[in-house]
Amino acid sequence: MAPAVSAAPAGPVAFATSVVPLPRRPVETAGPWDRVRRWYESVLGWPTAPGSPVRLRAGVRFDVLDVPAGAGHAALERLGRPGAGLRRPGFPVALWGERMLLLVAVGGADELPGLLEWLEWGSLPLDLRAVGAGGLIEAPLGPAVGAGDAGGLMDDAAPVPGSDLLSPYPPDRDRRSRRGAAVWLRPPEQGREVEASLPALSAVGGTASAPGLARLVHTLATECHRVRLSHGPRLPRPARATR
């Protein structure tokens, strides 16, 4: 006896399926900052902190000296070779609004108070700060990111190696928000351990790419003091003698 064969349905079969939503695209704020984070963590090997904007952990690969931008520019000119400018290889330097961030060897932040005392700057109120272990700094964007809004300081800067991973704009894609973003003035070199290029206390006299930490601190302190004097209250002019 032939097996019974059920008749095929006359119309299309409707299968009961559960509706599975398509994967959601990351929100607009995630993509650009993810590229920035990937560049720092995967290309440079620098640890970052969660959240956005991306922040770098100090005290792991480097410490940071934070000074007024005017004092920082003057100090770098004094420390650099005549006519070499900031585009020559050297230790990484970034701009953050009216401040300049200079990367130094780990431990430099702890050494700063003693160095200032030893250099006889300890008694003066210098606008010279340090960020060390446990501290965070905003991750600078590539020169191409901040060129238009950094007062022209980045217009002739060399592109950051691997900058294709960096976001072309901050997360909200609003150019106005870029004015407060940190940008590299002298970016780190890809494929080179950053520690070898940083000013350190043990580097007496400095190296080919960076001054010694003591020399850097002394130069920065001198320029910070000059900035403070130039912005200080002006003394009244003495009255002209009359007969």
Side-chain angles (χ1 to χ4, degrees):
M1 183 176 178
V5 179
S6 58
V13 179
F15 294 97
T17 58
S18 59
V19 178
V20 179
L22 294 174
R24 295 181 61 186
R25 294 183 61 185
V27 294
E28 196 66 28
T29 59
W33 287 121
D34 282 349
R35 289 193 292 274
V36 175
R37 189 182 307 280
R38 187 166 71 252
W39 188 72
Y40 279 107
E41 294 185 347
S42 301
V43 177
L44 295 182
W46 293 7
T48 66
S52 60
V54 178
R55 294 171 298 167
L56 304 176
R57 296 187 183 275
V60 180
R61 302 289 303 274
F62 55 82
D63 283 358
V64 180
L65 298 182
D66 176 355
V67 299
H73 278 291
L76 291 178
E77 289 179 4
R78 289 183 57 188
L79 293 168
R81 297 192 303 269
L86 288 172
R87 297 184 64 174
R88 70 181 182 87
F91 63 100
V93 178
L95 287 175
W96 185 28
E98 299 295 325
R99 310 291 299 181
M100 180 178 286
L101 308 176
L102 302 97
L103 272 59
V104 298
V106 172
D110 293 334
E111 298 288 352
L112 181 62
L115 275 176
L116 290 174
E117 288 291 341
W118 180 61
L119 296 167
E120 300 183 351
W121 287 107
S123 61
L124 295 176
L126 302 173
D127 191 5
L128 172 54
R129 314 166 190 169
V131 184
L136 300 171
I137 64 167
E138 181 178 322
L141 303 176
V145 178
D149 293 315
L153 294 173
M154 304 296 295
D155 291 342
D156 60 349
V160 175
S163 58
D164 56 308
L165 296 178
L166 297 177
S167 77
Y169 301 100
D172 59 3
R173 298 185 181 276
D174 183 348
R175 289 175 181 262
R176 291 174 300 176
S177 68
R178 291 162 47 188
R179 294 172 184 168
V183 291
W184 282 117
L185 184 62
R186 182 190 285 161
E189 296 183 57
Q190 182 178 333
R192 179 186 181 189
E193 294 295 325
V194 69
E195 290 83 354
S197 69
L198 300 180
L201 191 60
S202 58
V204 179
T207 65
S209 61
L213 183 62
R215 183 183 175 207
L216 175 62
V217 168
H218 177 63
T219 307
L220 289 173
T222 301
E223 298 303 332
C224 285
H225 184 55
R226 288 177 176 172
V227 168
R228 176 176 171 270
L229 291 179
S230 66
H231 293 169
R234 295 184 179 180
L235 298 177
R237 293 183 179 180
R240 182 176 299 178
T242 57
R243 294 182 179 180

